[in-house]
Structures are given as C-alpha cells and as structure tokens.
Amino acid sequence: MAFGTQDDTDEVMNEINMTPLVDVMLVLLIIFIITVPVMKHAVNIDLPRATNQPEDVKPETIRVSVAADGGYYWNENRIADGDLLARLSAEAGKNPQPELHLRGDKDVRYERVAQAMAAAQQAGIKKIGFITEPKNP
C-alpha cells in the first residue's frame, strides 16, 4: 500500500528550482531602483572650510607657596593674606582657567595650607596640584 500520489518510480529531481533565485533578484532590483535616485538628488551647497587641528592653548600656572612662617607667596612674590582670595578670583575668571600649584613647607601648620585651598575653592579654581619633593633614599 502506497501513501502518496507519486508514481512508484523513485526519480531524483535533477533541475535547479529557479523560483527562489528569481525572487531574490527581483527584491534586489527593487531596492536598487529605490535607492539610486535618492543618492543622486542632493542639494549642492558650498560648505565652509575648517581645520581639525586642535588649538594648543596651554593655561598658565600659578604657584602659591606657603612658607614655614605661614606667609603666602604668589609666584615667588610675598603677598598679604587678604590679597590671596582677590588674586585667585581674578585668575579664576580667565579663559582658559590657570592651574594652581600649591606648595607648602613641611614645617608650616596644615591650617595655613588648608586656608589657601579654601580660598582657591571660594574663588572657583578648578585645578589644584600639590607640589612635593621626592623622598631621597
């Protein structure tokens, strides 16, 4: 008893089914027909020229030192305690903002260094660096 409507011959099909290939080719043809006009219809404008080289503007560095006696030095020039905040505020308004390098004598009270850091924070200085000397072996 045979289940099916085929003949009893077991013939192998030797032809390639071309229908899927034709379907794929028609889909690709439709995609190209749609995309080619989109690429050709562009507005011609004259774009401005610009360089991609970054500007190398280095901010200046302010050196504030706290001496062993507690006095403040602005770039090696002694200043009064009240002038520190005013000078830092003036420098904080510059663009690009300068970097602050804070050096404290090892014998000075920490309070004086902390006051200089607080003044820099009040003035709006964003970059503060601490300068130390390397330990000799």
Side-chain angles (χ1 to χ4, degrees):
M1 183 164 140
F3 297 111
T5 59
Q6 276 188 347
D7 296 14
D8 288 339
T9 60
D10 291 334
E11 288 183 28
V12 177
M13 196 168 155
N14 357 354
E15 289 131 16
I16 297 175
N17 189 358
M18 296 296 288
T19 306
L21 179 64
V22 171
D23 288 346
V24 168
M25 295 305 288
L26 284 174
V27 168
L28 288 175
L29 180 66
I30 291 171
I31 289 173
F32 285 129
I33 288 173
I34 292 172
T35 58
V36 167
V38 172
M39 291 188 300
K40 287 188 176 179
H41 295 300
V43 177
N44 292 328
I45 56 173
D46 189 19
L47 295 173
R49 305 279 184 235
T51 72
N52 60 354
Q53 299 296 326
E55 284 189 39
D56 194 18
V57 178
K58 292 189 176 186
E60 66 176 283
T61 302
I62 303 165
R63 291 179 309 278
V64 174
S65 304
V66 185
D69 63 353
Y72 292 121
Y73 288 84
W74 183 276
N75 292 337
E76 287 80 37
N77 297 323
R78 187 168 179 109
I79 60 170
D81 291 357
D83 293 341
L84 181 64
L85 181 60
R87 286 192 181 197
L88 287 172
S89 296
E91 294 295 325
K94 291 184 178 178
N95 190 12
Q97 193 179 73
E99 295 179 10
L100 175 66
H101 289 181
L102 187 59
R103 300 185 311 166
D105 192 279
K106 67 178 180 175
D107 295 328
V108 73
R109 294 184 56 188
Y110 177 72
E111 177 185 8
R112 297 296 289 168
V113 177
Q115 288 172 351
M117 289 189 308
Q121 182 182 14
Q122 285 178 346
I125 298 288
K126 304 251 189 289
K127 292 184 180 180
I128 299 175
F130 296 98
I131 307 299
T132 60
E133 290 192 17
K135 187 176 182 180
N136 292 331

